[in-house]
Amino acid sequence: MSPMPHLARKSKSDPHTELDRAAHEFADQLGTERLQAEIVRRLEEHCQAHEPHDGFHAVHVVDSTGGLPDVAEVQLAVLHPRHLHDPAEVHGSLADPVPTSPAAEHTLRLTAAHGRRPRTHRNAVVVLAPDAHHYPMLESSVREYLAWSHVAAMAHPLGLPSGSAEQARAWMSAADDNVRAQLLETYFWVLVPVQADEEAPVGVRVLTAEGATSSLAERAGLTLRAEGELVTARDDHAIRRDLDGPLTTSWRAGHISLGELWELYTSLTYLPRLSDRSVLEAALASAIGDELDWQYQGFALADGYDQRKSSYLGLRLPGDDQPPERVKDSTLVVRPDRAVEQRHSDLAEENLSRLKTIDHLDHEDPIPPLPRLSPDGQLTPAAILQAGQGRDDQGRPTGDRERSAN
């Protein structure tokens, strides 16, 4: 079948036969690599216009594993057109199908490696792949666009009739619109690396990108958020569930730093996929204001830990008046039992210190008594000086005066 079927219907008597023949001949010369290069060019142009609100740090058109940077924030990898997905290509049981299409296999490679090195941030990868059944129509549209582009640019050197360039540009514009529509209709498979638990192998969950928007990234983002595969907001209760569940071993020591926790979220594919670090930071900061039932659903924060004293520095419990100004890598997420234990110890030490201070004041030397008045009845400076030295106005120790009085 002709790659440009509408051209084949032209009769020899048609005044535009030469124009059509030139376009047809050029279309037949186009190889797969040239067609795919044009698709990649259009994808890259399309992805450069993505907005941050779609939930992705960046959007990349990817062929090799080295083409996707190894960063902590979630990225969308739009696959090269040679990596097609066919939902019929699965193995396993009906209850647990395993996709084995080129797109699914490449998704696993992207998750595992960055070039020749193991990928660190494996939980920051999601993939958008082209559909194997729609791809031929996209390729045909691209072939037609390139053919009319060639004729429009080369009408005069090709010796085509007057007005051929204008007619070719009109066909090129129509083909261009068709290619844009076909891109949206072809790139709709969202492939997500998933893992049931620490012991399970990494698999691929396949979703269908939906939405009325003309942005591929926005469609993928909407689908991922709706399916819970891309988290753009999370509260302290959800973080606590993770700490009590899949992260319980990491939290067993009594605390974990924000930096360590973020590394775990970005690297372990059995954890929720947080879009970026700000999601985690906001969840931790909100914990101090969430006082209700916090010992069972929340946690405390600390600035650091003194190993020598086995004590947390800058400990803050939910309900404290001074929440942290900001959380940083060294901020510690502290287990409630450890935080409460230290708070009780700190309060007991503070109360003991206060009692010692009061007891010290109670045992201070009494204020020296006022001196006796001199015979003239005047309280003289000399008498006051004598009293400051513990003597009366006659120069006798005040103790002697008290004994003589007895």
Side-chain angles (χ1 to χ4, degrees), residues 27-106:
D28 287 342
Q29 296 172 12
L30 292 170
T32 300
E33 290 188 4
R34 178 67 182 89
L35 298 174
Q36 290 183 345
E38 174 63 19
I39 293 173
V40 168
R41 183 192 70 79
R42 286 173 172 268
L43 287 172
E44 289 177 342
E45 184 179 84
H46 180 92
C47 293
Q48 286 175 359
H50 99 281
E51 296 292 336
H53 61 70
D54 56 31
F56 303 114
H57 171 70
V59 182
H60 301 276
V61 181
V62 175
D63 187 4
S64 66
T65 60
L68 184 67
D70 188 8
V71 298
E73 296 80 9
V74 176
Q75 303 172 96
L76 178 65
V78 181
L79 294 188
H80 188 283
R82 66 166 57 94
H83 305 292
L84 302 174
H85 180 67
D86 186 344
E89 295 180 3
V90 298
H91 70 268
S93 65
L94 292 176
D96 187 23
V98 180
T100 56
S101 68
E105 292 172 353
H106 198 54

Side-chain angles (χ1 to χ4, degrees), residues 20-305:
D20 297 340
R21 183 184 300 113
H24 204 296
E25 289 176 354
F26 185 80
D28 287 342
Q29 296 172 12
L30 292 170
T32 300
E33 290 188 4
R34 178 67 182 89
L35 298 174
Q36 290 183 345
E38 174 63 19
I39 293 173
V40 168
R41 183 192 70 79
R42 286 173 172 268
L43 287 172
E44 289 177 342
E45 184 179 84
H46 180 92
C47 293
Q48 286 175 359
H50 99 281
E51 296 292 336
H53 61 70
D54 56 31
F56 303 114
H57 171 70
V59 182
H60 301 276
V61 181
V62 175
D63 187 4
S64 66
T65 60
L68 184 67
D70 188 8
V71 298
E73 296 80 9
V74 176
Q75 303 172 96
L76 178 65
V78 181
L79 294 188
H80 188 283
R82 66 166 57 94
H83 305 292
L84 302 174
H85 180 67
D86 186 344
E89 295 180 3
V90 298
H91 70 268
S93 65
L94 292 176
D96 187 23
V98 180
T100 56
S101 68
E105 292 172 353
H106 198 54
T107 297
L108 293 177
R109 287 193 291 270
L110 285 171
T111 306
H114 173 235
R116 296 183 179 182
R117 298 182 178 181
R119 185 173 293 275
T120 299
H121 305 291
R122 298 187 303 159
N123 204 32
V125 176
V126 288
V127 167
L128 183 66
D131 177 65
H133 299 286
H134 282 75
Y135 180 73
M137 291 178 282
L138 172 61
E139 192 176 74
S140 178
S141 299
V142 170
R143 186 186 298 274
E144 185 170 349
Y145 167 78
L146 292 175
W148 286 120
S149 298
H150 171 75
V151 172
M154 301 296 292
H156 183 69
L158 291 172
L160 296 176
S162 175
S164 296
E166 290 76 5
Q167 182 63 47
R169 280 193 288 271
W171 281 107
M172 179 185 72
S173 178
D176 181 55
D177 292 339
N178 193 29
V179 172
R180 294 182 185 182
Q182 288 295 333
L183 274 177
L184 294 175
E185 293 182 13
T186 302
Y187 276 81
F188 64 82
W189 291 116
V190 181
L191 281 63
V192 188
V194 293
Q195 192 176 9
D197 53 53
E198 186 177 3
E199 303 297 329
V202 178
V204 176
R205 183 184 180 191
V206 181
L207 304 171
T208 304
E210 298 177 347
T213 175
S214 60
S215 167
L216 291 173
E218 192 172 348
R219 286 185 177 187
L222 288 170
T223 300
L224 288 165
R225 292 195 294 274
E227 293 292 333
E229 294 291 355
L230 181 62
V231 180
T232 55
R234 199 162 179 81
D235 61 21
D236 55 315
H237 294 178
I239 300 296
R240 172 63 186 272
R241 287 194 296 271
D242 295 336
L243 291 169
D244 285 339
L247 294 174
T248 183
T249 302
S250 302
W251 209 35
R252 188 171 295 159
H255 60 265
I256 184 172
S257 72
L258 183 154
E260 293 172 318
L261 187 56
W262 175 236
E263 285 293 320
L264 292 174
Y265 272 113
T266 66
S267 61
L268 303 179
T269 50
Y270 53 84
L271 292 179
R273 185 174 291 101
L274 308 187
S275 60
D276 58 49
R277 178 173 163 141
S278 68
V279 176
L280 179 59
E281 292 179 353
L284 298 189
S286 69
I288 301 304
D290 192 357
E291 191 174 358
L292 181 63
D293 208 23
W294 77 271
Q295 294 188 46
Y296 301 97
Q297 300 188 66
F299 41 80
L301 298 179
D303 295 333
Y305 186 70

